[in-house]
């Protein structure tokens, strides 16, 4: 079944595109509704609680109850807010995320459009999301919202650079796999090239950098300073309520699933691995969804186990650690591919880099915890004396 190439029901191209977009939006909305429920249940299990249980059997109707509540709440606009900037900001953040979903291959030739420059399109469009965030912060007429918007923009710009460089490392390898030395930016082709092995085996360091930068782009813990209540009372959308607030919520979870599908296609083989490109379309859809779900679960797991970083630690980690390692991986890949060395060397060098990154994170976390314990001990000792 060729849903990329063949028009649905024999309709004109523009009607065909609208139908596909509506299907994607409806599916995304339902997935986001139950993603909020699933995250609450999963976090509750991590914390030895039950989570939502009262609305429907096992709390399954909690997502619908929350949706009805948000739609029915009063839409309040602050008196000092810039009306048009304030009201258009949720759309400016949601539409770029929606556009990224248009080029993701959920199975072989399954999606809205198959672009030759799919990887480039995703990050070109995601960059527009910063405009919506700044609009929300500036248009709210609230200093906390403004601070949250500025922090979010600075954070996204900083982590977008190592994120893109880590993907370039994979694009370089696709040139060797195609045999012509020219890398491809087509997401469908990148997935098909991983029929025998996923690229995470060749580029574990690039995947770690991608995953870490992805958490920052999504404003998920431990990189959730721009939206943390304990930091700036809710971030750039603190003045939003009702349906407009729900659009920011929809954008967050849609972005999470979009990044998860994107990461599964680029690093985990997408629909092609391990069952091959000739597997049934239903199996390909299930494979992509399972890999994306695994990434989403790890994102939630990190939220419950890793403490929030300070703003200086967050920025230093991007500019002083991830950026250098991503460029180092890019240079190493270039040398290995230029001299046509075996791909095992690619995997080995990247694994060493991944181990070094993990060592830096563990060492820094241990030093912080030890220093905090010593400081607490000295404070208690001074107060008791």
């Amino acid at each position: 079944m060729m849903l990329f190439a063949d028009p649905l029901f024999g309709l004109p191209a523009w009607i065909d595109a609208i139908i596909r977009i509506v299907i994607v939006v409806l599916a995304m909305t339902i997935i986001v509704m139950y993603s909020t429920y699933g995250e609450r249940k999963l976090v509750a299990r991590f914390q030895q609680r039950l989570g939502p249980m009262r609305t429907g059997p096992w709390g399954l109707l909690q997502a619908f109850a929350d949706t009805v509540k948000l739609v029915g709440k009063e839409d309040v606009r602050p008196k000092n807010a810039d009306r048009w900037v304030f009201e258009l900001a949720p759309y400016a953040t949601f539409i770029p995320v929606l556009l990224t979903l248009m080029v993701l291959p959920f199975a072989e030739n399954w999606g809205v459009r198959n672009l030759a420059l799919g990887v480039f399109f995703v990050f070109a469009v995601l960059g527009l999301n910063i405009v919506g965030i700044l609009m929300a912060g500036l248009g709210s007429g609230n200093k906390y919202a403004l601070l949250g918007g500025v922090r979010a923009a600075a954070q996204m710009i900083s982590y977008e650079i190592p994120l893109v460089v880590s993907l370039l490392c994979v694009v370089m390898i696709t040139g060797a796999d195609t045999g012509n030395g020219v890398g491809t930016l087509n997401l469908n082709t990148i997935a098909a090239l991983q029929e025998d092995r996923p690229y995470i085996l060749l580029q574990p360091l690039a995947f770690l950098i991608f995953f870490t930068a992805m958490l920052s782009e999504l404003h998920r813990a431990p990189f959730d300073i721009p939206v943390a209540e304990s930091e700036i009372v809710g971030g750039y959308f603190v003045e939003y309520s009702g349906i407009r607030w729900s659009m920011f919520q929809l954008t967050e979870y849609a972005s999470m699933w979009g990044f998860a599908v994107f990461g599964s296609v680029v690093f985990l083989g997408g629909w092609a691995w391990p069952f091959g490109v000739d597997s049934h379309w239903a199996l390909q859809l299930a494979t992509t969804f399972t890999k994306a779900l695994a990434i989403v679960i790890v994102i939630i797991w990190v939220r419950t186990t890793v403490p929030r970083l300070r703003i200086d630690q967050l920025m230093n980690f991007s500019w002083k650690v991830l950026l250098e390692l991503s460029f180092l991986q890019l240079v190493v890949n270039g040398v290995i591919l230029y001299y046509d060395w075996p791909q095992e060397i690619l995997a080995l060098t990247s694994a060493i880099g991944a181990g070094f990154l993990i060592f830096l994170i563990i060492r820094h976390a241990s030093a912080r915890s030890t220093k905090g314990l010593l400081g607490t001990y000295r404070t208690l000792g001074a107060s008791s004396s």
Side-chain angles (χ1 to χ4, degrees):
M1 190 176 293
M2 303 286 287
L3 291 189
F4 268 136
D6 297 341
L8 290 176
F9 314 114
L11 297 174
W14 66 275
I15 299 179
D16 168 73
I18 292 176
I19 294 176
R20 299 186 193 205
I21 291 173
V22 171
I23 293 174
V24 170
V25 170
L26 291 177
M28 177 187 64
T29 303
I30 296 175
I31 290 175
V32 167
M33 288 173 59
Y34 276 96
S35 294
T36 58
Y37 167 80
E39 180 170 7
R40 293 174 67 180
K41 296 291 284 188
L42 186 58
V43 171
R45 292 298 180 183
F46 281 133
Q47 298 174 350
Q48 297 183 351
R49 298 184 289 108
L50 294 178
M53 290 292 292
R54 296 182 178 275
T55 312
W58 301 287
L60 289 174
L61 298 180
Q62 184 65 49
F64 288 97
D66 292 338
T67 302
V68 173
K69 180 196 71 172
L70 290 172
V71 172
K73 289 185 69 174
E74 182 181 5
D75 184 15
V76 179
R77 186 178 72 248
K79 181 179 179 180
N80 296 328
D82 186 314
R83 176 180 179 180
W84 291 109
V85 176
F86 181 82
E87 294 185 357
L88 292 177
Y91 302 97
T93 57
F94 172 74
I95 291 176
V97 175
L98 173 64
L99 291 176
T100 61
L101 300 176
M102 301 299 102
V103 299
L104 296 179
F106 304 99
E108 185 179 13
N109 295 318
W110 271 62
V112 178
R113 287 294 181 266
N114 184 20
L115 298 184
L117 300 176
V119 176
F120 177 80
F121 177 83
V122 167
F123 286 98
V125 171
L126 276 180
L128 300 176
N129 195 27
I130 301 175
V131 177
I133 290 174
L134 286 176
M135 287 174 62
L138 289 169
S140 296
N142 184 307
K143 293 183 179 179
Y144 289 107
L146 176 60
L147 180 59
V150 172
R151 279 187 172 186
Q155 177 176 322
M156 294 178 70
I157 292 172
S158 300
Y159 278 85
E160 196 169 294
I161 301 174
L163 181 66
V164 173
V165 174
S166 67
L167 293 172
L168 289 178
C169 296
V170 174
V171 172
M172 294 174 68
I173 298 177
T174 62
D177 287 346
T178 55
N180 56 13
V182 179
T184 178
L185 296 175
N186 188 304
L187 291 171
N188 217 37
T189 304
I190 291 176
L193 290 174
Q194 300 176 74
E195 181 180 14
D196 298 327
R197 78 294 180 250
Y199 283 142
I200 189 176
L201 298 179
L202 299 179
Q203 297 288 274
L205 174 59
F207 176 75
L208 281 180
I209 295 173
F210 168 83
F211 184 81
T212 306
M214 175 186 67
L215 293 178
S216 180
E217 293 288 309
L218 295 173
H219 303 146
R220 302 284 300 191
F223 304 98
D224 57 342
I225 285 180
V227 295
E229 294 181 358
S230 62
E231 294 285 333
I232 41 183
V233 298
Y236 52 86
F237 52 84
V238 65
E239 296 290 356
Y240 288 86
S241 62
I243 188 66
R244 298 186 191 280
W245 183 90
S246 67
M247 290 190 65
F248 285 105
Q249 187 82 348
L250 177 66
T251 301
E252 176 186 342
Y253 281 90
S255 300
M256 182 172 65
W257 275 97
F259 266 111
V261 174
F262 183 79
S264 68
V265 170
V266 175
F267 288 98
L268 303 181
W271 47 265
W273 183 84
F275 302 107
V277 296
D278 297 325
S279 57
H280 193 267
W281 62 267
L283 182 59
Q284 293 180 1
L285 284 175
T287 302
T288 302
F289 178 77
T290 302
K291 293 175 181 179
L293 180 62
I295 293 177
V296 169
I297 290 175
V298 174
I299 291 174
I300 299 173
W301 187 3
V302 171
R303 171 192 170 184
T304 60
T305 54
V306 181
R308 182 180 300 124
L309 297 175
R310 295 197 314 262
I311 184 65
D312 61 318
Q313 296 169 339
L314 184 147
M315 301 300 286
N316 285 338
F317 187 63
S318 172
W319 293 105
K320 296 183 178 180
V321 178
L322 293 185
L323 186 63
E324 283 80 354
L325 289 178
S326 62
F327 276 113
L328 179 62
Q329 180 71 82
L330 193 71
V331 172
V332 171
N333 282 8
V335 172
I336 295 174
L337 294 174
Y338 179 80
Y339 290 104
D340 199 20
W341 292 345
Q343 290 192 344
E344 288 77 6
I345 300 179
L346 274 173
L348 178 61
T349 55
S350 186
I352 293 174
F356 179 69
L357 176 58
I358 294 173
F359 168 75
L360 288 179
I361 295 174
I362 295 176
R363 181 181 179 184
H364 179 66
S366 301
R368 286 180 59 199
S369 61
T370 303
K371 186 183 299 183
L373 287 175
L374 289 175
T376 304
Y377 175 76
R378 290 167 181 168
T379 302
L380 291 176
S383 60
S384 62
S385 60

